[in-house]
Amino acid sequence: MIEIFSPAELERATESGAFIASVLQGIKKRVKVGTNLLEIDSWAGEMIKAAGARSCYIDYAPSFGSGPFGHFICTSVNDAVLHGLPHDYSLRNGDLLTLDFAASLNGIVTDAAISFTVGTSSSPSDAKMIKATRQALDAGIAAANPGARIGDISHAIGTVLTAAGYSVNLEFGGHGVGSSMHQDPHIANIGRPGRGYKLRPGLLLAIEPWVMADTDKLVTDADGWTLRSATGARTAHSEHTIAITEDGPRILTL
Ligand code: MF3
Ligand code: CO
C-alpha cells in the first residue's frame, strides 16, 4: 500500500519525526563505555511512554524475524547491521553502534537510524564507512523531488556507496511509511534512474543506506533477529524519514 498525506497530516508527521530524532540524539548523548544495550532499550521505552507514542517494534513479527521483536529499539553493534535485538551486552571503547528507531506519534510512523563510535577510539575505516552511508543518504534525499522516481533515489544512493568501495546488499532497503512502518514503495540501495514509482507530494519515505565493510552477504544471528555481516566485518547504517513536498524533500527526523 502507498499512502499520500495532506499538508495538515504532514504537520503531524513533522512532530512524529522530531520525536524520533530527539530519542536517537538523546540516547547518543547518554551512551558511554559500559552502557548496556538493555538500558538503551529501557530508555527508548520510557521516552515512548512519556511522549504518548506507540512502539512499532514491540509486537512486530514480520517474516524476516522470529516471533515478536519484543523491544523498543534496534541496537546493532560492530558486525551487526540491521534489526539488532537488544541483549545483555555492555558497550566497549571503540564499539560501532547503530540505533534504529521507529514509532507512531499522532498516528503517523517515522523511522530513522544513526551509527556512531562509542567512547574515544574510532578507527579510520569505521569513520569512512559511517560517512559513506551519510553521504549516500544525503544524495538519496536530494534526488527525492516530486516527479522524480524511486529509481532516481536508489541510483543516487548506490552511486555514492559503490564509489566509496562498498558492495550493496539488495535484501533490505528503504520503504514508505505512514500509518504503519513498512509500506510500499520499496527503495533499493542501488538502482536505475527514471525507473519505478513516481514521487508525489504527500508521500513519506524512509531512506536507509547501509553497508558492511567487505561483503554484501548477511547472516542471521542465533537470536533469530540480528543480521550480521557474513564475514564478521563491521557495518554502518544511516536513515531518515522524509516527506515529498511541492518544494522538494523535507527531512522529518532531523
Ligand atoms: N526500523 C527498521 C527499518 O529501518 C526496521 C526494524 S524491524 C524490527 O526498516 F523488527 F527489527 F524492529
Ligand atoms: Co526503515
Side-chain angles (χ1 to χ4, degrees):
M1 182 179 69
I2 293 179
E3 290 176 331
I4 297 296
F5 290 88
S6 69
E9 288 168 324
L10 283 191
E11 289 317 307
R12 283 164 38 207
T14 301
E15 280 178 44
S16 173
F19 168 65
I20 297 297
S22 73
V23 169
L24 289 175
Q25 293 307 322
I27 292 175
K28 183 180 177 183
K29 271 199 210 115
R30 280 170 84 174
V31 165
K32 297 197 169 44
V33 172
T35 300
N36 195 290
L37 301 180
L38 294 174
E39 255 177 285
I40 294 176
D41 187 52
S42 70
W43 297 340
E46 283 159 18
M47 288 186 263
I48 286 174
K49 200 170 168 199
R54 190 178 57 74
S55 171
C56 292
Y57 290 7
I58 199 97
D59 298 331
Y60 195 50
S63 57
F64 56 76
S66 85
F69 189 71
H71 292 270
F72 297 104
I73 188 165
C74 296
T75 55
S76 303
V77 182
N78 297 340
D79 61 318
V81 63
L82 297 174
H83 313 157
L85 192 71
H87 59 283
D88 182 10
Y89 174 80
S90 295
L91 291 163
R92 302 180 189 168
N93 199 30
D95 275 350
L96 204 167
L97 175 64
T98 297
L99 301 173
D100 186 340
F101 183 62
S104 173
L105 185 71
N106 301 322
I108 298 182
V109 174
T110 53
D111 184 0
I114 53 173
S115 289
F116 58 94
T117 306
V118 177
T120 48
S121 90
S122 166
S123 82
S125 60
D126 287 353
K128 177 186 168 240
M129 193 164 46
I130 294 170
K131 191 169 160 205
T133 63
R134 285 206 193 121
Q135 287 177 336
L137 177 57
D138 289 345
I141 292 170
N145 290 297
R149 292 177 183 271
I150 293 295
D152 297 310
I153 300 176
S154 299
H155 176 70
I157 293 171
T159 301
V160 173
L161 296 180
T162 46
Y166 302 103
S167 54
V168 176
N169 171 291
L170 281 173
E171 291 165 272
F172 295 92
H175 49 96
V177 296
S179 53
S180 68
M181 175 166 62
H182 285 145
Q183 301 196 352
D184 291 331
H186 172 72
I187 311 171
N189 284 331
I190 197 163
R192 292 168 72 177
R195 297 296 185 94
Y197 182 79
K198 196 189 244 183
L199 308 181
R200 48 189 183 110
L203 181 66
L204 303 183
L205 297 176
I207 301 180
E208 49 182 316
W210 58 277
V211 292
M212 304 179 276
D214 65 3
T215 182
D216 59 2
K217 304 257 176 322
L218 289 166
V219 290
T220 306
D221 188 276
D223 68 16
W225 274 102
T226 305
L227 295 173
R228 299 181 184 277
S229 65
T231 55
R234 293 157 80 95
T235 68
H237 182 192
S238 296
E239 177 176 20
H240 272 309
T241 296
I242 66 163
I244 310 300
T245 77
E246 305 278 356
D247 307 324
R250 191 206 293 167
I251 304 175
L252 301 176
T253 48
L254 206 54

